[in-house]
Amino acid sequence: MPKPVFNEDRCKGCELCTVVCPKKIVVIANRFNSKGYRPATCSDESQCIGCMMCARACPDVVIEIHK
Amino acid sequence: MPKPVFNEDRCKGCELCTVVCPKKIVVIANRFNSKGYRPATCSDESQCIGCMMCARACPDVVIEIHK
Amino acid sequence: MAEIAFARPESLHDVPFHYCPGCHHGIIHRLVAEVIDELKVRDRTIGVVPVGCSVLAYNYFNFDTQEAAHGRAPATATGVKRVHPDSVVFTYQGDGDLASIGCAEIVHAAARGEKITTVFVNNAIYGMTGGQMAPTTLPEQVTVTSPYGRDPEKVGMPIRVCEMLATLDGAKFIARVAVNNPANMAKAKAAIKKAFEIQMSGLGFAIVEVLSTCPTNWGMTPLEAVAWLEKNMMPYYPLGIFKTPEGVAK
Amino acid sequence: MAEIAFARPESLHDVPFHYCPGCHHGIIHRLVAEVIDELKVRDRTIGVVPVGCSVLAYNYFNFDTQEAAHGRAPATATGVKRVHPDSVVFTYQGDGDLASIGCAEIVHAAARGEKITTVFVNNAIYGMTGGQMAPTTLPEQVTVTSPYGRDPEKVGMPIRVCEMLATLDGAKFIARVAVNNPANMAKAKAAIKKAFEIQMSGLGFAIVEVLSTCPTNWGMTPLEAVAWLEKNMMPYYPLGIFKTPEGVAK
Amino acid sequence: MAEKILMKGNEAIGEAAVVAGCRHYFGYPITPQSELIEYMAKRLPQVDGVFLQAESEIAAINMVYGAAGAGARVMTSSSSPGISLKQEGISYIAGAELPCVIVNMVRGGPGLGSIQPGQCDYFQATKGGGHGDYHNIVLVPNSVQELVDYTILAFELADKYRNPVMLLGDGALGQMMEPIAFPQGAAAAPAKPWATTGLRGRKEPNVINSLHIQAPDLEKHNIHLQAKYKTIRENETRWETYKTDDAELVLVAYGISARVALSAMEQARAAGMKVGLFRPITAWPFPYEALAPLAGKAKAFLAVELSAGQMVEDVRLAVNGASPVYHYGRLGGMICSPKEVLGEVTKIMQGKEGK
Amino acid sequence: MAEKILMKGNEAIGEAAVVAGCRHYFGYPITPQSELIEYMAKRLPQVDGVFLQAESEIAAINMVYGAAGAGARVMTSSSSPGISLKQEGISYIAGAELPCVIVNMVRGGPGLGSIQPGQCDYFQATKGGGHGDYHNIVLVPNSVQELVDYTILAFELADKYRNPVMLLGDGALGQMMEPIAFPQGAAAAPAKPWATTGLRGRKEPNVINSLHIQAPDLEKHNIHLQAKYKTIRENETRWETYKTDDAELVLVAYGISARVALSAMEQARAAGMKVGLFRPITAWPFPYEALAPLAGKAKAFLAVELSAGQMVEDVRLAVNGASPVYHYGRLGGMICSPKEVLGEVTKIMQGKEGK
Amino acid sequence: MTHEIVMAGFGGQGVMLMGQLMTYAGMLENKQVSWMPSYGPEMRGGTANCSVIISDEPIGAPIITEPTAVVAMNLPSLDKFEPALRTGGILIINSSLIEQKAKRSDVKEYRVPSNDIASELGNLKVANMVVLGAIIAATKAVSQESVMQAFAKMFAKKPGLLEINEKAIKRGAALVEGK
Amino acid sequence: MTHEIVMAGFGGQGVMLMGQLMTYAGMLENKQVSWMPSYGPEMRGGTANCSVIISDEPIGAPIITEPTAVVAMNLPSLDKFEPALRTGGILIINSSLIEQKAKRSDVKEYRVPSNDIASELGNLKVANMVVLGAIIAATKAVSQESVMQAFAKMFAKKPGLLEINEKAIKRGAALVEGK
Ligand SMILES: Cc1ncc(C[n+]2csc(CCOP(=O)(O)OP(=O)(O)O)c2C)c(N)n1
Ligand SMILES: Cc1ncc(C[n+]2csc(CCOP(=O)(O)OP(=O)(O)O)c2C)c(N)n1
Ligand code: SF4
Ligand code: SF4
Ligand code: SF4
Ligand code: SF4
């Protein structure tokens, strides 16, 4: 089962990952990380198809895709 | 009657004027000018047709064409 | 443990970037690093980084690097490459760095057919110094040094670097790409890879211009910036391959 | 007294040139001076002369001049023109000056569409300093810094300046001419005149590249030099109009 | 003088230039002076002036050469690495005797260094960063108001002597805000019959030039330049003294350091130490003759500067062995505090002097 | 040492560089050093070296930066205006601590000046033509043989201290011919574990850099540089004295001027005047400590240089007020003759000193 | 009397503006003033601080080594500047973002939940104005009126901003005065 | 003994080579030598001269202000350098191009019709060698053999040149010695 793993403290909340996800499951969380940004997160891991779009779109290499 | 007038002491003997004359009357003289160059001269002014080719070809503005 | 399908390339140190949220520099860094990993040349790569927002790139790339003076990366890279002809040398430069102060150096590196690769990040503005006009700033674009909008009557139209360098014989591969969406990112990576391969086969100079965002100095959110890039930059700076040894155009 | 059909133009002081016998610099000076006379703009012309064999051109031109630093004539001319927008400003530059050290300045003057005219004397070598390689030196050409012949593998092919600048929007008129024979001299003069007219009509940047000889450093007689130019330079540097507001090509 | 306003140093320079009649600016962005180029970008079009961002510092200084030669009051500005790039051009401007104003808001060096304030370009500014025997007039203001006043003076001196004038500040002065007032204007630019304006009826062409191809001619030109420099030395050397009359120790400092030194001096006085301050306002010409007599009175001198020891050489040349001269500096963009300077002062006063 | 050969100074530098193991040269033509670049163009390919004519002096110095950072023994050369253009690059090289050799065959300035020999770039070379607190090691040979010897030394010192070394000559030295002999070779270049060669199995990437974005880091780096400069001062200061033991007047001169001064000294001695000569061989570090003790003995000093007064400041700093220091200079490409210097000497000895 | 106030936070929190307004107000009161920024080493997303001096005497060094008051808008700022504060000095802590308490007992601590108050006021951007209100109330370096005058001058082109900012300043001041 | 010889002419007359050969010869004789060129202000078609010093003592200044001998290949050179010549000095005049006689009576004048002799020898290019022969014969600064050795070394790649040049040198020398 593919799964996006977020290195949350590296996230700057830029939202670039959110728009590329074909399943629209990458969303911005309603909390702050240690840097003061609202980080991206996966709203429903079960839907992840492992397309790696979010990971590729992220300028800060926040996201790993585990298989 | 057109006539080429050479400012002989300015001539550097480069021969550029000699090859453009349609009448082949611009030639290098067999003497030295004050700068040590063999200057160009007109071998037969009567043949000059006033085409100004020699004057235009001269890099040192040596030649005037009088009419 | 789970198998990892997508992770940080080895050629990128595991440290956070200092770039602004959503800045494309980070994506472009990663693509370069991935290419170097895939070509298995990390061990003999020497990167030359510019003065510009990516001035600290030497902290991110996990291979040897030199920090060049503003605009002079192509000259510096030339020095490096001529000492180690078997190494893989690239410059990473912004538009102010490459197209403004470093114009002579990039033209001559290209003309010499210097066997180096250039990754040229065109974000139509000076990022590091706070948003001044670049040679690539678009007509009417407002920057802190074109506060009334860039006026082509006074300062001319933006320079299209790829098109200009394409007139030079030594430049063997020239492409303009963008990283505004996944499809273009794939193309961008392919172009960067190609540009390194050209170098490794000794053919000559190769450059990839990457259209990039500067949300901070454009005064936009990262997503707005991507949209602005698509709407304004792409029409003026058409994507494509301008020159390649295979003769494939666009 | 006889009427004078051809005489030194008013824009040229009546002093001897220091140029070597047969050097084309003298012809090109005269053409520029004739054009300025014909356009009746001597009174508002400011010439910017380079470092190169024509460094003393300020002694020859009979109008205001500035002696620029090596390669920087386009920047200097920009300063002049921006102070006196109604004046006629031109640069006179050699190939080392314009295409090598001054590459960034000419590209940017062209890109800005700076309302100046450039007379670019391409003699494929550095004259003043004794015959070193220029960016325009031909492949295999022997110079004192390419003693084994210019090797394109190591230093690339010569830069074709007109073709490169033609990619820039601000450059409105671009032509390459020669003064190797009377017919070409006439075309050269027409091109130079056009380049000044473009400036005067405020359209933008104009440049005329004049293929020129350097008998001294080529190690030839003046006539041999002309023949060498015709045989070697003209094929690599095709004459013609590369850009003009009328859209006439070649 | 108008109402006081609060302004950043860099912007104040820009407005002062406009007040001085400068209508041409050519520059290239660099921290920490970008506020100045940005100010000019906004301001000059409002007064029908010309702002042009050059492709490089080199292009900028050569545009200045062209514009100055064409008769304009013209300015450029940069910070350390950019000023290094201008050195050839500055030497040309000095050689051709063109008036212009060059601003250097110094940052920590060498190389790319840092963007924090420094005073480590003193030698470059005063002794000749470029080639040949020439001098810039170098003004070293120490407050935002002085940035204004000396920018205006810079244009006046440049025109008066046909010489480049450098305003040598630092990142701190450039970015700090203080209340200032602008004077109504500067002395009008003198006539410039030598400028290349196009003949416009003039008989003899003007030539702007630094080439003198015969060495005897170039020597003659240099002798003329040296004579001019002598006049400038005699007439334009500027400095200020604070409580030097009874001082046993004289601090010597300029620019931002002079303010730190002033605070330190006050604290030292408060602690009963007889300390004074000598502040050069022109770094070239350096006020040797004003400083020298103090050597007879003071027991020691302490140069305080944000460098490893540059101005201190001028202090030594002035003092000429009459008293010991010490140096205290911070490097690489660090600013020293009054407390640190007080520490040095105390050491010297107690005879435990440092380096 | 091999057989003596007759060679031009500029070419001798080139061959000496090859002897020293230099295999990379980047430069741009300029009179009066073009013989050197031309020599390298011919010679380096013969020894599998790399000669590249750069598009400009700026490109050349940045190629040197790249090559030096990559571990090569590398050289560039130019003359005054071209050296001014290299100042940013030199500051970067000093900041990044890269070894390289830079040759300046000085000509008359300022600006385009002339192509005749000068010594008017002394300040630029020794005090910092570029920005920031850095120093070049500056060698000032005075014969073609010394051009050879000190070119070789230059490479050795550059590598030893990871510092740019400048060979400061002039047009006369560069173009004159004298018999010379070449040594077998130079000290081999030390290992350069810091060079960017590509990792090639190394674990930690190497970075060549002059940026220290945090001021405290940059200060630390500067303190390290200053410590290095101190070591160089202590170990590498070089000079020569001629008949200074009993000298009442000490001439101080370097390079071509030192030869003129030497002739003048001999003539003065012949005329019964007790004159000596102090010749700095390193202009930075200047031999202050060697010169200072002479001040106790000699009644006066006369600096002879082809400039309006540059090295003389270092002489004054050394003498520190102990004796009067005079200056005699020619400007703009003129060389002074022994006779002129003798005239100055005589004036001083007779108490009718000049300036 | 000389106030030497350091205001620190991360970029975007508006510490520079706070400092400038206070400096401007001081000038309006004919005091000697200076404002000096210090940008963190990271140009992007780094920390920033400024030094404000308001004094009756001419100002020597515009830099501050021992502040009479410190405003800490985020934790790194608190950590960095608390130790330098003079005995008896004033420490304003933006308690919306900083949980940590003052470590020193020889200073006067004011905790200002500026983001919360701003969000109460309906505009997150005025958090810095809340803190500004607090610092002027705590230091009395300048009057609230002068600050409002300064604001009016600096934002002469945006008079609409005046009201909400004044509210914020008042809330901050009230918080300190109510203490 | 110190010979300080100035050789002058216009570019292309080969004065530089003359000087270099003499200097080289001096070196071969283990003397102290130096050669220094001075190019005229005009880079193109200007005058050129060189200073040759051949001495038993180490050489101080390589520049010459009072030459012991002067070679003038053209009139401007004669005008320029004759006045500087030391009393008793040697003056070689290329009489093919210079009609003017020495103005000074306190020097030894040799008139060498070098172009004519060279053209007699069938090679105009060796005019300078004729003069070289004359100057070494007149000054005895170096021997003819050393000069020929120097020539052989400098033109090692063109041994064919040796003969005609030796002839020219001999002719020049004979002219002086015959006097
Ligand atoms: C010689 C010199 N001039 C100017 C600067 C200041 N400077 C630093 S980066 C930069 C431009 C950055 O813009 P760009 O190259 O487009 O890169 P970006 O920051 O947008 O990635 C400038 C002008 C400098 N460091 N050195
Ligand atoms: C900064 C600087 N670098 C180098 C030189 C030396 N220099 C003078 S002219 C010249 C090149 C001349 O060649 P080109 O421009 O082709 O003109 P030409 O003499 O052939 O007419 C050079 C390198 C200089 N004067 N200044
Ligand atoms: S793209 Fe990366 S930094 Fe941006 S929101 Fe997504 S995970 Fe965060
Ligand atoms: S072209 Fe002119 S310089 Fe040349 S030979 Fe003819 S007249 Fe003389
Ligand atoms: S300023 Fe612009 S280019 Fe620089 S990091 Fe931020 S978004 Fe990227
Ligand atoms: S060297 Fe060449 S370009 Fe210069 S004047 Fe002579 S022939 Fe002309």
Side-chain angles (χ1 to χ4, degrees), chain H residues 80-149:
Chain H
K80 182 162 179 194
F81 292 105
E82 184 184 350
L85 193 56
R86 260 181 239 184
T87 299
I90 288 160
L91 178 60
I92 311 267
I93 294 177
N94 177 12
S95 58
S96 294
L97 296 189
I98 310 176
E99 280 173 33
Q100 184 176 304
K101 301 266 151 65
K103 288 179 186 146
R104 289 174 55 178
S105 52
D106 62 339
V107 301
K108 263 184 273 175
E109 175 184 11
Y110 297 92
R111 299 188 64 81
V112 182
S114 65
N115 299 52
D116 302 86
I117 295 176
S119 111
E120 264 176 52
L121 293 172
N123 188 338
L124 268 168
K125 284 192 184 155
V126 299
N128 58 339
M129 290 297 145
V130 176
V131 176
L132 179 58
I135 183 85
I136 56 175
T139 61
K140 302 205 166 41
V142 292
S143 72
Q144 235 186 70
E145 293 67 48
S146 305
V147 169
M148 286 320 301
Q149 240 180 295

Side-chain angles (χ1 to χ4, degrees), chain G residues 84-155:
Chain G
L85 194 55
R86 259 181 239 183
T87 300
I90 287 159
L91 179 60
I92 310 268
I93 294 177
N94 176 13
S95 58
S96 294
L97 296 190
I98 309 175
E99 280 176 32
Q100 185 178 301
K101 299 267 150 66
K103 288 181 184 143
R104 288 174 55 176
S105 52
D106 62 339
V107 299
K108 263 184 269 172
E109 175 183 12
Y110 297 92
R111 301 187 63 79
V112 182
S114 67
N115 300 51
D116 301 271
I117 294 176
S119 113
E120 262 178 52
L121 292 173
N123 187 339
L124 267 170
K125 285 192 184 156
V126 300
N128 59 338
M129 291 297 145
V130 177
V131 176
L132 179 59
I135 184 82
I136 56 176
T139 61
K140 302 204 165 44
V142 292
S143 72
Q144 234 186 72
E145 293 67 46
S146 306
V147 169
M148 285 320 300
Q149 238 181 295
F151 191 95
K153 294 236 176 197
M154 283 182 73
F155 294 90

Side-chain angles (χ1 to χ4, degrees), chain D residues 13 42-46 51 55-56 58 61-70 72 75-80 82-84 86-88 104-106 108-109 112 114 128, chain E residues 24 26 50-56 58-59 62-63 65-72 88 92 195-211 213:
Chain D
H13 283 300
R42 195 177 73 88
D43 209 45
R44 57 189 173 104
T45 293
I46 302 159
V51 183
V55 71
L56 295 175
Y58 56 76
F61 287 129
N62 184 10
F63 41 73
D64 283 5
T65 45
Q66 293 201 7
E67 167 61 50
H70 189 31
R72 319 303 175 192
T76 300
T78 298
V80 173
R82 298 278 172 144
V83 171
H84 298 297
D86 65 334
S87 60
V88 175
E105 285 75 15
I106 197 69
H108 278 268
R112 275 196 305 273
E114 203 63 49
M128 186 193 208
Chain E
H24 291 82
F26 304 93
V50 172
F51 165 83
L52 189 64
Q53 180 174 323
E55 59 269 32
S56 69
I58 291 184
N62 285 286
M63 290 173 184
Y65 177 100
E88 188 205 23
Y92 268 73
T196 58
T197 55
L199 284 162
R200 322 240 171 200
R202 189 178 358 97
K203 282 276 152 54
E204 282 301 306
N206 284 336
V207 179
I208 299 296
N209 179 33
S210 68
L211 173 68
I213 211 165

Side-chain angles (χ1 to χ4, degrees), chain E residues 96-155:
Chain E
E97 294 192 84
L98 299 179
C100 71
V101 174
I102 302 157
V103 178
N104 182 3
M105 301 313 266
V106 183
R107 60 192 235 182
L112 191 46
S114 77
I115 57 170
Q116 313 299 329
Q119 295 186 316
C120 43
D121 299 355
Y122 179 93
F123 274 151
Q124 186 192 54
T126 60
K127 306 276 166 179
H131 58 285
D133 281 304
Y134 74 91
H135 284 291
N136 304 312
I137 298 173
V138 182
L139 300 173
V140 285
N142 80 342
S143 67
V144 179
Q145 183 64 52
E146 283 201 358
L147 287 179
V148 169
D149 298 341
Y150 292 133
T151 296
I152 293 170
L153 179 66
F155 281 100

Side-chain angles (χ1 to χ4, degrees), chain D:
Chain D
M1 223 199 82
E3 197 193 321
I4 295 184
F6 185 98
R8 175 176 290 271
E10 191 186 1
S11 288
L12 269 194
H13 283 300
D14 188 13
V15 294
F17 292 136
H18 71 285
Y19 301 112
C20 303
C23 174
H24 283 178
H25 267 304
I27 302 178
I28 303 165
H29 279 28
R30 199 194 64 235
L31 294 182
V32 169
E34 286 174 0
V35 163
I36 288 169
D37 280 8
E38 289 171 21
L39 293 172
K40 300 197 178 13
V41 292
R42 195 177 73 88
D43 209 45
R44 57 189 173 104
T45 293
I46 302 159
V48 179
V49 301
V51 183
C53 274
S54 47
V55 71
L56 295 175
Y58 56 76
N59 284 335
Y60 309 137
F61 287 129
N62 184 10
F63 41 73
D64 283 5
T65 45
Q66 293 201 7
E67 167 61 50
H70 189 31
R72 319 303 175 192
T76 300
T78 298
V80 173
K81 183 76 181 191
R82 298 278 172 144
V83 171
H84 298 297
D86 65 334
S87 60
V88 175
V89 178
F90 74 95
T91 72
Y92 184 105
Q93 304 182 255
D95 42 22
D97 193 77
L98 180 141
S100 195
I101 191 171
C103 180
E105 285 75 15
I106 197 69
V107 165
H108 278 268
R112 275 196 305 273
E114 203 63 49
K115 288 154 196 70
I116 61 171
T117 300
T118 290
V119 178
F120 166 38
V121 180
N122 177 2
N123 59 12
I125 208 159
Y126 286 19
M128 186 193 208
T129 40
Q132 294 83 6
M133 191 182 79
T136 53
T137 292
L138 294 175
E140 308 310 328
Q141 189 181 336
V142 171
T143 72
V144 291
T145 52
S146 59
Y148 308 108
R150 180 182 179 133
D151 181 354
E153 174 58 25
K154 286 186 184 140
V155 301
M157 293 291 284
I159 297 179
R160 293 187 181 93
V161 169
C162 288
E163 287 82 337
M164 182 174 80
L165 296 184
T167 62
L168 300 168
D169 285 315
K172 296 302 181 193
F173 179 77
I174 300 185
R176 185 181 289 121
V177 299
V179 290
N180 58 315
N181 61 39
N184 277 342
M185 274 181 221
K187 282 193 205 163
K189 184 169 165 185
I192 293 171
K193 194 165 191 174
K194 181 86 192 170
F196 275 93
E197 286 166 349
I198 296 285
Q199 174 184 174
M200 289 160 65
S201 59
L203 282 174
F205 178 79
I207 181 169
V208 179
E209 173 175 343
V210 189
L211 300 186
S212 185
T213 58
C214 177
T216 299
N217 287 302
W218 294 359
M220 298 173 194
T221 68
L223 289 176
E224 285 167 1
V226 172
W228 190 89
L229 180 149
E230 289 163 353
K231 174 148 179 263
N232 297 282
M233 288 185 77
M234 285 191 174
Y236 190 85
Y237 298 112
L239 304 189
I241 294 174
F242 293 87
K243 215 170 167 185
T244 160
E246 285 88 52
V248 182
K250 268 227 144 170

